[in-house]
Amino acid sequence: MVVVHDKLFSGTRWADPITTGVLEVTSPATRAVVGRVAETTTEDLDEMVSQARDSVESGIWSNTPPAERGALLGRVADMLEERQAEVCQILSDEMGTPASTAAMIQVTPTLGVLRYYSRLAADFPWSEVRQGDFGASVVTRQPVGVVAAITAWNVPLYLNAAKLGPALLSGSSVVLKPSSATPLSALWLAELFREAGLPEGVLSVVTGPSSVGDHLVSHPEVDKISFTGSTGVGKHIAKIAAENLTRCSLELGGKSAAIVLEDADLASAAGTMVFSALMNSGQACVSQNRILAPRSRYDEVVDALVENVSLMPVGDPADEGTVFGPLANHKQQASVKGYIAKGLEEGATLAYGGGEVEGLPAEVADGAFVQPTVFRDVDNSMTIAQEEIFGPVIQVIPYETVDEAVQIANDSEFGLAGAVYSADPDAALAVAQRVRTGTMGINWYAFDPTAPFGGFKNSGIGRENGPEGLDAYCELQSVLMPF
């Protein structure tokens, strides 16, 4: 089935585009066209920003009480839960992920973030009185205004919701630019907000190429940019934002490490480590694909990882037994294969994988598949240990002491995620707090909607999730009261 949107989602309504340009969406599994959407031009985009600005100035949404704004997020979450099979199929079609995987790593966290912000509306300090040296000040958090939200293709449903939830709860209006590879799920989610009662003008979805994205982030009527994607593009956006002093949050790349301590229970930990490294076929910024193993247990760790990876089927995302579908596009497939070749060239050894995926059904034989791969004998200076691969490739790096493990974990331009595996949670916590990274897990990894998420170093600026994620879409105003 081909999903067709011949109108633009502009100002919380479906509107005719200025031109007849069409953006085609193809399946990375079958190469078949699975969607056609109207392409946004810069003229269309100007109208979207204008509607967002008008809605901010009118107060149609910002003057709505926070409790009502939060209730709308709750309604969207309920609608999503009821119709999740529908969006899981869309996600499978446009990015190749098995529907069961989409439910676990996209729908579940999306429900979590929407419901968290729905609840937070009642407890957030929208206004407070502070007593100071010169009397009382009324401190209020006001919406930042027009938000340009730009997201990547790897977990599009969640990434879009993680921006829309707090941005809309703040009372801001949003122009959302999803990846041109994954517009279908973005339009599907936007329609839920329209059905839930979001006023006209408050939300638009830009379906177009990166050049339209540049026009959006450079637009003088945009008050805030929130971007999730690669570090290179993030730096490009930051330069553009600096010209207008536009507020900017950047959630960027990662090269995270999982530190296995001497006392780790590999029988229970290995499966979790593999999931954290290869979730979404390794296409996750938080992927912990650098596994740091003590020299004394190095072979044991490698063997446990290989055993778990070998039990995970690669194949047609429509097959219920598939764990690893194709990568999201053939360009990414070529990139990941290039990294595997580079690893071999620099002296790493294949412990598992590294070849072509065999036995694929004819209908997906030309899909963007990469065999899950485990490298051993990896030095942290190698390209595969330093650069973000964004594919199903694990690198197992040996260490002698815990101090060396921490040094290796920190020897990266990134600092987004990580984990420590140990039978002693307190000892693991002490190690975790020495790693310069935004989020860590003890014996597992997940990001929770209640806790701030973001990175150190080249992994970004700012935080999403938690009250900090809502603060990112607010401006603080202080009013000093008379004596």
Side-chain angles (χ1 to χ4, degrees):
M1 177 181 175
V2 178
V3 177
V4 177
H5 292 289
D6 56 6
K7 293 182 181 294
L8 297 172
F9 193 88
S10 179
T12 331
R13 59 188 178 85
W14 295 99
D16 291 325
I18 291 175
T19 69
T20 58
V22 173
L23 179 69
E24 285 194 337
V25 183
T26 59
S27 164
T30 66
R31 289 187 181 255
V33 174
V34 296
R36 293 186 179 91
V37 300
E39 191 170 63
T40 307
T41 65
T42 54
E43 292 82 1
D44 293 312
L45 178 54
D46 287 338
E47 174 60 21
M48 292 174 174
V49 175
S50 177
Q51 291 179 83
R53 172 57 59 198
D54 289 345
S55 68
V56 168
E57 298 299 331
S58 73
I60 191 172
W61 182 237
S62 58
N63 290 340
T64 300
E68 293 183 25
R69 300 198 297 258
L72 184 138
L73 298 183
R75 290 196 297 275
V76 172
D78 291 343
M79 294 162 67
L80 169 58
E81 186 169 32
E82 291 171 4
R83 296 163 55 180
Q84 62 179 293
E86 185 181 328
V87 74
C88 284
Q89 186 58 57
I90 291 173
L91 291 164
S92 184
D93 288 343
E94 72 178 352
M95 62 169 297
T97 184
S100 58
T101 300
M104 177 172 57
I105 70 171
Q106 296 208 56
V107 172
T108 297
T110 296
L111 291 172
V113 75
L114 290 174
R115 287 183 170 143
Y116 169 72
Y117 282 114
S118 178
R119 296 191 304 270
L120 186 63
D123 301 324
F124 192 68
W126 300 103
S127 181
E128 55 185 307
V129 177
R130 299 183 188 177
Q131 296 295 333
D133 293 344
F134 302 104
S137 292
V138 177
V139 179
T140 59
R141 286 174 168 83
Q142 300 182 4
V144 71
V146 176
V147 173
I150 304 171
T151 57
W153 45 258
N154 57 320
V155 279
L157 183 70
Y158 170 73
L159 295 178
N160 294 332
K163 297 190 186 302
L164 292 178
L168 292 174
L169 180 59
S170 77
S172 296
S173 296
V174 183
V175 180
L176 172 65
K177 168 67 174 69
S179 166
S180 58
T182 54
L184 303 180
S185 54
L187 292 168
W188 186 90
L189 181 61
E191 172 61 16
L192 292 193
F193 279 94
R194 189 191 69 80
E195 293 178 18
L198 190 67
E200 285 193 7
V202 176
L203 175 62
S204 294
V205 178
V206 178
T207 48
S210 58
S211 58
V212 180
D214 278 358
H215 187 69
L216 174 60
V217 297
S218 63
H219 204 291
E221 290 296 327
V222 167
D223 299 300
K224 160 83 179 184
I225 301 166
S226 180
F227 170 73
T228 295
S230 72
T231 298
V233 176
K235 290 179 178 180
H236 172 70
I237 288 174
K239 289 178 181 178
I240 295 174
E243 291 297 318
N244 293 330
L245 288 181
T246 306
R247 284 123 181 86
C248 193
S249 296
L250 305 171
E251 195 274 283
L252 307 177
K255 190 65 184 180
S256 303
I259 301 174
V260 183
L261 298 185
E262 289 272 2
D263 63 350
D265 179 5
L266 287 182
S268 61
T272 303
M273 282 190 282
V274 168
F275 174 79
S276 298
L278 303 184
M279 68 177 91
N280 201 36
S281 296
Q283 299 169 122
C285 56
V286 296
S287 174
Q288 294 149 51
N289 49 43
R290 284 193 301 156
I291 309 294
L292 277 49
R295 182 80 67 178
S296 62
R297 301 187 69 186
Y298 187 77
D299 289 341
E300 185 184 356
V301 171
V302 171
D303 290 346
L305 294 171
V306 167
E307 179 182 2
N308 277 270
V309 173
S310 68
L311 297 175
M312 298 178 174
V314 182
D316 188 343
D319 186 334
E320 291 186 1
T322 294
V323 174
F324 296 114
L327 300 188
N329 56 68
H330 286 78
K331 179 181 178 182
Q332 189 63 20
Q333 177 196 39
S335 173
V336 174
K337 286 184 174 182
Y339 276 111
I340 293 173
K342 190 69 172 177
L344 292 171
E345 177 187 323
E346 293 185 354
T349 305
L350 283 174
Y352 181 84
E356 298 297 323
V357 179
E358 298 179 350
L360 292 170
E363 57 269 24
V364 297
D366 197 27
F369 291 92
V370 171
Q371 187 180 30
T373 299
V374 179
F375 274 112
R376 60 171 297 146
D377 306 322
V378 178
D379 184 274
N380 199 56
S381 64
M382 293 179 179
T383 301
I384 58 171
Q386 285 294 317
E387 296 185 9
E388 186 176 35
I389 297 174
F390 231 61
V393 183
I394 290 174
Q395 312 97 54
V396 191
I397 303 171
Y399 71 85
E400 297 288 350
T401 67
V402 172
D403 286 346
E404 184 186 12
V406 172
Q407 184 274 323
I408 293 171
N410 286 331
D411 180 18
S412 172
E413 67 180 273
F414 301 107
L416 188 58
V420 180
Y421 291 86
S422 171
D424 184 343
D426 290 335
L429 175 61
V431 173
Q433 291 176 330
R434 295 172 62 191
V435 180
R436 288 188 53 76
T437 190
T439 57
M440 291 286 285
I442 306 299
N443 294 331
W444 73 307
Y445 179 81
F447 42 91
D448 190 286
T450 67
F453 172 78
F456 290 17
K457 299 183 280 187
N458 279 358
S459 286
I461 299 171
R463 292 295 183 266
E464 295 188 324
N465 293 346
E468 295 83 1
L470 178 52
D471 256 334
Y473 297 99
C474 295
E475 291 279 23
L476 287 167
Q477 183 187 56
S478 300
V479 178
L480 185 65
M481 302 302 289
F483 286 109

